[in-house]
Structure formats: C-alpha cells, structure tokens
C-alpha cells in the first residue's frame, strides 16, 4: 500500500481492524466485517459531503491482541507511522476496543499524539473523537478504560472458571484423538447448593467410515503395527521405502484405507487434512491413551512439547483416568523407546552391526576421550579402535593418536569377563560385581511398564533434587529473608523433599519387586565336543548376536581404559600387545549422594 502526504483539507482515511482469536461463528467482530464497516463509514461520510480519500485497510494477522503491551501489532505501528508522516489523518475502527485495550495511562500518550497530529479517530459504533474538544478526549479515555476493564474481567472470569473446573476433575482444552468430552453436573465445593457443569473425558464413540469402527480402534492398530515393527516383523511396502509398521508406513496405510482424521470429521478448515507421521507420533506418545492423566510440558515460548504423567505425591504411582486406557499400559510403555528413536516421518532406526566395545560409553582412551571402532572389511585383522580426540592437546596428554587392534582387545576383554563369571562362586571379592550385574540384568529385562515407570521416577527425582539445589542457592544469595520468606522457604523445601523421597521409595519398591537371577548356566553352557575355549566353538558366546554380546559386556564392565603403546609398529606375524595397555573397571552400583538435603541447606 502506498500513500501520499495529506494536502489541503481532505481527510485521508484508513481503516484498522484486528481480532485476537478465531471465531467459529461468523461474528460481527470478524476482520472481514470490520473492514466492510470501516469502508462503508468512509463512503457514508463522502456521500454526506466530506472530502474523503480512502487510503486503505491496515489489517492485523488473526490472533493479534491489543490487551498486552508486549504483543507486537505491526499493522498498528505502520498506521502510526503513516499518521506521523502526514499520510493519514483519519482512523476508522469498528469499535474503540479494536484500537487499544491498554490501561488508560498507557494509552493516553498514543491517543494524545494522534489527536495533536490532527488525526480524527472514528468509531463506526461509538462516535467521532478529534483534537480541540476536551470532552471528546475524556469520552475516548472512558471508552478505552471500559474496554480494558472488560478484557481484564473476561480474562479473570475465564481463568477462575477454568481453575474451578480443573479442581473438580474436569478436562481442559480440546479432547485428543481417541477421546471425547461429555458434560457432568457436580456440586460447587464452595457452595454445595450451586451446581457446576464440567467436561469429563471418555473414549470417543463417534462411528468412523472405513475399516475401523472408532478412533480407539485406529490407535490400537497403529500401536500394534509399530510394536511389531520394533521386533522386525514388518516388511517394506511394495514400491516404497517405508515399512508397514514405521510411522510413515502406518500413515500411508491409513490414507490408502480411507481412515478419516479427526480434522476430516469435525472441521471445515481441516477437512482436507491427512495422516501425518509427526501427528501420529504425538498420539502414541500421549499418556492418556495408556489411561494415565498428564500435565503438559511447555518450552519458553509456551508451546506444548510433551507430557508428564501425573503422579500421586505420596506414592508416586500414576494417576489413572476414570475411563481407562485405550491401549494396554504395558504396550504403551514398550513402544516409547521406539518412538524416541524416530524422527519426523522416519521409521524405526535399524543400524548396521556395531563393533563390540564402541558406542556404549565403556571404551575410553587414557586422555579421557572416547574411542571409536574402525572396521576394515577387506582385512578384518587390521580393524582397530582409535582415540576420538581432536587436534587440541591438553598438557600431559599423549601426542599423536592412540589405536589398538579391535580383534585383540575384543578377545582380551571377553576372556576377562568369562574368567570372572566362571570363578565367581569361589571368589568372595567378586560378590559385589555379580550383585551389580544382577541388578542391571533385572533393569534390562523387567516388564516395559516397570522400565518406563523407572525412567519417569528417575527424572522426577532428578527434577526434585535440582529444585532443592536452586532453593538453597537462592537462600544463600539472600533470598527468603524475614518471617514470610522463611515460611515460603520451608514450604517449598518440604514439597521438593517430599517429591524426592516419594520417588526414591517407589524406586525401591520397583527394585524389591524384581528378583533378577543372572543366566550364568546359559552363558557357560558347552556343546558336545567342546575344545575347552570359553568363547570358542560350541559356546554361548560363539552363537550370540553382537547385541547380546554387547549387553553382557555392559553388565560386568563400567570402563575400559586404553593407554598409548610404547612400541612403534609390530613385528609381522606377532600378536598385538593388549593386556599391559588395558585397565578394566568392573561394575559398581550407582554412587550414593554424598550430602543429604540437610547438608545442602547448610
């Protein structure tokens, strides 16, 4: 839009419109209606004899609010600039509330500037306001104040209603896929004679077209396909790179089978929506489908990035929905690691065979940098592990690189592990190592729902510890002074401590419920004709997959440290020097906290 500077006595009129949120109905405050009313007002004045030149519309993007100072209104700023440049001297709005909902004292400078510039403010519903008439200015300020108070009161009323509904167990927001809302009358706890209607969650009952009767059936099929794909039971779709059980593959199958999305069922604007891998992933990640209530996790901008399961503050057990789960909780927990491994639209990752010791936080160089595997397919005997250190060398570190023969190191570490296993009964010093290996075995092989709950509880405990640490740091910095501050500190400390202790108690319950027994007999079994080599032909190790072998190493080993060799090269035909260069740190239980919460508070 280009505008010329105002000359003579003509009014150069511009319309301004905005709407802070989309309306489902075609209300009189919609931007289209506002623009029509604004233009009609300019034309009416022109017909009445006023010299009017229509400059055009200044229309904010849908969702722009005039209530908050910090919210940007680019079109309003552009309109102000046009007024300051003398290109606009009449602003037409549908209602004054479209113009501003700031506090009166915040709005006065803007309004005063406009009126002093000779700009006439016209409300198609509330009158005309111009410079030189004090009553007009007071009238306008009263309108702005009324608009601001109306917005604040509406916000408070909505917030209060939401808080009450949530307090009474109502569901806030739109129901997710697989669910619907129904009204329920409950007594107001603050006034038992008053009845309040809240919205409760239940499984969606809408009948679908296509192969599935309900949205719940769709979710169950998606979960079943994804779970099967995690186990390698699904194949690539013909002519495509997507496996039938990958997120992409499931979405393609739903589209081909004409399975309707929620948008296709309920929305005009979303009637052409399609199944999308990212949306399906969100559905399968939602704890609600497992029957668990949840709270949203938001980033700094307020966008929901995930959900946290609600837990009883005393027992730390998940709070369950009254309507129950859509898919079995055990299945939901089982598919979460697979969903974690997927990107937007990418299927379950399937890596090629890894080296035995790399990429599992066990193999380290003497300089405290991780070592990585380098396979030579043409000559496997030359495969090696090497230090991943960059070009920067810290004082006291080795020069050059550190490498060690892969086959030699794999063989050395494996034989040390089996020597430990086979002599454990006769060596009391290995009891602690075996106990920790058994604990790890139990964690690895516990039921998916317990494994998932354990991860949640560990995160909850870590969050509570961080909250306590922040609390004590704030207190050391001078916060929480005085009687009121002391009470606030004690309350916050008690809440965080209760969360931490409850999580620890529940973790202890999970540990006690598991009775892990290491399958030593399976690992040490021998076939007929065995030649005595603990990892040779006829042994479990010889037949085990790389994943099973890596799991065994993780059970018994915490760290393998490799030192730089003092020998340059090696004589042809001689084995690489391994043992003198390698230190193995055996499995130890997780370190206990050195300080309890009382020490932290000191």
């Amino acid at each position: 839009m280009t505008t010329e500077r105002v000359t003579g006595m003509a009014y150069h009129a511009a319309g301004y419109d905005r709407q802070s949120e989309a309306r489902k109905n075609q209300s009189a405050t919609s931007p289209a209606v506002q623009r029509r009313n604004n233009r009609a007002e300019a034309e009416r004045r022109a017909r009445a004899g006023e010299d009017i030149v229509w400059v055009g519309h200044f229309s904010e993007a849908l969702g722009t609010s005039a209530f908050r100072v910090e919210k940007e209104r680019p079109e309003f700023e552009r309109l102000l600039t046009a007024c300051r440049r003398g290109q606009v001297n009449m602003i037409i709005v549908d209602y004054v509330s479209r113009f501003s909902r700031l506090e009166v004292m915040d709005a006065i400078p803007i309004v005063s500037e406009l009126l002093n510039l000779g700009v006439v403010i016209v409300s198609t519903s509330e009158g005309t306001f111009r410079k030189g008439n004090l009553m007009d200015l007071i009238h306008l300020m009263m309108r702005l104040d009324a608009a601001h108070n109306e917005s604040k009161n509406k916000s408070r009323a909505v917030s209060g209603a939401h808080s009450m509904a949530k307090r009474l167990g109502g569901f806030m927001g739109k129901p997710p896929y697989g669910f619907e809302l129904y009204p329920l009358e409950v007594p107001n706890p603050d006034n038992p004679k008053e009845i309040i209607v809240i919205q409760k969650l239940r499984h969606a009952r809408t009948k679908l077209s296509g192969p599935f009767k309900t949205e719940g059936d769709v979710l169950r099929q998606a979960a079943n396909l994804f779970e099967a794909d995690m186990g390698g039971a699904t194949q690539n779709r013909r002519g495509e790179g997507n496996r039938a059980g990958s997120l992409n593959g499931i979405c393609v199958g739903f589209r081909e089978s004409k399975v309707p999305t929620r948008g296709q069922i309920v929305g005009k604007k979303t009637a052409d929506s399609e199944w999308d891998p990212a949306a399906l992933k969100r559905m399968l990640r939602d704890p609600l489908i497992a029957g668990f209530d949840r709270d949203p996790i938001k980033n700094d901008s307020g966008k929901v990035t995930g959900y946290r399961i609600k837990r009883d503050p005393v027992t730390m057990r998940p709070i369950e929905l009254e309507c129950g789960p859509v898919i079995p909780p055990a299945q939901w927990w089982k598919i979460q690691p697979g969903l974690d491994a997927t990107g937007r639209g990418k299927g379950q990752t399937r890596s090629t065979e890894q080296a035995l010791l790399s990429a599992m936080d066990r193999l380290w160089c003497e300089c405290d940098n991780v070592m990585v595997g380098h396979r030579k397919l043409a000559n496997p005997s030359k495969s090696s592990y090497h230090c991943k250190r960059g070009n920067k060398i810290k004082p006291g570190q080795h020069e050059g690189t550190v490498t060690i023969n892969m086959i030699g190191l794999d063989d050395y570490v494996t034989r040390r592990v089996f020597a430990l296993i086979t002599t454990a009964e006769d060596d009391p010093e290995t009891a602690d190592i075996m106990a920790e290996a058994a604990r790890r075995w139990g964690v690895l092989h516990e039921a998916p729902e317990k494994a998932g709950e354990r991860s949640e509880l560990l995160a909850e405990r870590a969050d509570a510890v961080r909250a306590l640490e922040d609390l004590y740091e704030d207190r050391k910095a001078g916060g929480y002074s005085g009687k009121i501050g002391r009470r606030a500190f004690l309350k916050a400390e008690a809440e965080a401590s209760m969360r931490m202790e409850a999580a620890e108690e529940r973790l202890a319950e999970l540990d006690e419920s598991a009775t892990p027994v290491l399958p030593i007999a399976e690992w040490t079994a021998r076939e007929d004709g065995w030649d005595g080599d603990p990892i040779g032909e006829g042994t479990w190790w010889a037949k085990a997959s790389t994943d099973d072998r890596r799991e065994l190493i993780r059970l018994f080993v915490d760290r393998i440290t490799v030192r730089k060799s003092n020998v340059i090269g090696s004589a042809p035909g001689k084995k690489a020097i391994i043992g003198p260069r390698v230190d193995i740190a055996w499995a130890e239980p997780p370190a206990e906290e050195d300080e309890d919460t009382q020490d932290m508070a000191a």
Side-chain angles (χ1 to χ4, degrees):
M1 180 192 306
T2 58
T3 55
E4 301 294 335
R5 185 173 180 82
V6 176
T7 58
M9 298 302 294
Y11 284 117
H12 282 58
Y16 176 71
D17 59 89
R18 66 163 188 84
Q19 183 171 308
S20 59
E21 61 180 9
R23 306 291 176 87
K24 292 182 179 180
N25 60 348
Q26 298 297 319
S27 65
T29 56
S30 68
V33 173
Q34 292 179 54
R35 287 192 290 271
R36 185 167 61 247
N37 291 346
N38 295 345
R39 182 63 184 271
E41 175 64 18
E43 293 174 350
R44 185 190 67 77
R45 287 174 175 263
R47 289 194 300 271
E50 293 187 46
D51 190 358
I52 297 283
V53 176
W54 178 251
V55 174
H57 299 288
F58 289 75
S59 303
E60 300 287 5
L62 192 63
T64 303
S65 173
F67 180 47
R68 297 183 180 178
V69 180
E70 67 271 16
K71 293 290 186 181
E72 294 184 359
R73 292 187 289 160
E75 288 301 299
F76 184 67
E77 292 299 326
R78 201 163 66 87
L79 177 58
L80 288 180
T81 299
C83 292
R84 290 163 182 158
R85 291 176 177 174
Q87 298 167 337
V88 172
N89 62 356
M90 177 181 283
I91 299 175
I92 303 177
V93 293
D94 198 23
Y95 285 90
V96 171
S97 62
R98 301 303 96 191
F99 180 67
S100 175
R101 283 195 174 184
L102 300 175
E103 292 279 6
V104 172
M105 294 306 296
D106 293 324
I108 282 178
I110 297 175
V111 174
S112 298
E113 179 188 2
L114 289 173
L115 295 183
N116 286 329
L117 288 171
V119 177
V120 177
I121 299 174
V122 177
S123 166
T124 61
S125 304
E126 299 161 317
T128 302
F129 310 96
R130 56 172 55 86
K131 181 182 179 182
N133 188 322
L134 181 60
M135 292 307 298
D136 282 350
L137 179 59
I138 293 175
H139 188 192
L140 178 56
M141 292 298 100
M142 291 175 64
R143 290 288 187 186
L144 290 173
D145 189 46
H148 181 74
N149 288 330
E150 174 195 352
S151 190
K152 285 200 299 186
N153 292 337
K154 178 182 176 182
S155 177
R156 288 170 181 162
V158 170
S159 177
H162 283 185
S163 298
M164 176 62 75
K166 193 172 183 179
R167 175 182 164 194
L168 296 175
F171 185 84
M172 310 310 300
K174 296 180 180 179
Y177 192 87
F179 295 88
E180 64 184 17
L181 298 177
Y182 70 96
L184 179 67
E185 294 184 350
V186 295
N188 185 343
D190 300 329
N191 182 9
K193 294 182 179 180
E194 179 184 359
I195 298 298
I196 296 177
V197 178
I198 62 174
Q199 298 294 318
K200 297 286 287 183
L201 206 62
R202 69 184 179 193
H203 296 172
R205 301 178 180 180
T206 303
K207 300 298 182 183
L208 303 182
S209 59
F212 302 104
K213 293 182 179 180
T214 66
E215 291 179 347
D217 293 332
V218 177
L219 288 173
R220 283 185 282 273
Q221 174 70 358
N224 290 339
L225 287 172
F226 191 83
E227 180 184 5
D229 187 67
M230 289 175 62
T234 65
Q235 302 296 321
N236 284 0
R237 301 177 62 84
R238 180 174 297 180
E240 300 179 10
N242 304 315
R243 297 182 312 281
S246 68
L247 293 177
N248 258 330
I250 295 171
C251 289
V252 170
F254 284 169
R255 290 195 290 267
E256 291 177 349
S257 301
K258 307 297 183 183
V259 178
T261 64
R262 173 68 66 84
Q264 291 171 353
I265 297 173
V266 303
K268 292 182 179 179
K269 293 182 179 180
T270 55
D272 59 348
S273 62
E274 296 285 353
W275 281 97
D276 175 73
L280 178 60
K281 181 177 180 178
R282 286 195 301 270
M283 295 176 193
L284 295 177
R285 293 298 303 270
D286 194 335
L288 290 179
I289 69 171
F292 302 136
D293 201 357
R294 40 77 157 166
D295 284 321
I297 300 172
K298 298 182 179 180
N299 59 18
D300 294 338
S301 63
K303 181 180 179 181
V304 176
T305 58
Y307 297 99
R308 180 184 294 109
I309 293 176
K310 283 186 179 180
R311 295 181 177 275
D312 184 285
V314 177
T315 66
M316 292 305 291
R317 294 181 181 274
I319 296 176
E320 299 179 354
L321 298 179
E322 293 179 12
C323 62
V326 176
I327 69 173
Q331 184 184 36
W332 184 82
W333 285 116
K334 185 175 182 179
I335 65 176
Q336 297 311 300
L339 292 168
D340 289 339
T342 63
R344 189 188 190 284
K346 294 182 179 179
Q348 176 72 6
T349 58
R350 296 173 185 261
S351 60
T352 57
E353 183 175 318
Q354 292 178 299
L356 176 65
L357 302 177
S358 61
M360 58 179 184
D361 198 31
R362 293 295 192 275
L363 184 59
W364 296 84
C365 177
E366 64 177 34
C367 66
D368 281 335
N369 282 284
V370 70
M371 298 189 76
V372 297
H374 179 62
R375 289 185 179 276
K376 292 190 175 181
L377 300 179
N379 190 356
S381 64
K382 296 295 184 180
S383 298
S384 63
Y385 296 105
H386 63 88
C387 175
K388 190 65 174 173
R389 186 186 65 185
N391 295 326
K392 188 175 182 180
I393 302 176
K394 296 180 180 179
Q397 288 186 346
H398 61 80
E399 296 182 358
T401 187
V402 171
T403 62
I404 192 166
N405 183 268
M406 180 181 291
I407 294 177
L409 182 61
D410 290 352
D411 183 81
Y412 176 79
V413 172
T414 304
R415 292 183 183 279
R416 290 285 305 275
V417 169
F418 272 90
L420 177 76
I421 293 173
T422 55
T423 60
E425 293 184 1
D426 302 323
D427 186 359
E429 294 183 2
T430 65
D432 290 342
I433 301 173
M434 299 300 291
E436 174 58 18
R439 187 195 68 80
R440 295 180 184 183
W441 173 264
V443 171
L444 283 172
H445 295 274
E446 67 184 344
E449 60 270 28
K450 286 189 176 181
E453 185 178 5
R454 184 186 299 277
S455 297
E456 286 257 341
L457 289 167
L458 289 171
E460 179 72 21
R461 183 178 65 180
D463 184 65
V465 170
R466 282 194 297 269
L468 283 170
E469 291 173 344
D470 291 343
L471 190 67
Y472 297 138
E473 286 297 324
D474 290 344
R475 190 183 183 192
K476 287 180 181 179
Y480 300 103
S481 59
K483 292 183 178 180
I484 296 177
R486 175 65 177 169
R487 286 198 297 269
F489 171 82
L490 292 175
K491 180 181 178 182
E493 182 188 40
E495 290 175 351
S497 297
M498 184 177 70
R499 287 173 54 209
M500 181 182 69
E501 292 167 2
E504 289 175 344
E505 289 178 5
R506 180 58 183 151
L507 284 167
E509 290 177 9
L510 290 177
D511 287 339
E512 290 176 4
S513 65
T515 55
V517 177
L518 291 172
I520 293 178
E522 178 184 351
W523 292 334
T524 58
R526 319 287 191 235
E527 293 181 352
D528 293 339
W530 174 58
D531 62 3
D533 185 349
I535 60 175
E537 292 297 325
T539 64
W540 173 88
W541 182 264
K543 295 181 294 183
S545 66
T546 300
D547 286 341
D548 288 340
R549 292 178 175 184
R550 286 165 59 84
E551 180 180 290
L552 180 68
I553 298 298
R554 282 195 295 265
L555 292 177
F556 290 93
V557 175
D558 277 347
R559 181 180 174 111
I560 303 163
T561 304
V562 177
R563 291 184 294 277
K564 187 175 177 65
S565 175
N566 294 324
V567 178
I568 300 177
S570 59
K574 288 190 175 182
K575 288 186 177 181
I577 299 173
I578 302 295
R581 299 178 54 195
V582 177
D583 290 328
I584 298 177
W586 298 106
E588 292 184 356
E592 297 291 337
E593 293 290 337
D594 294 331
E595 300 177 350
D596 59 21
T597 55
Q598 296 300 322
D599 295 330
M600 293 165 65

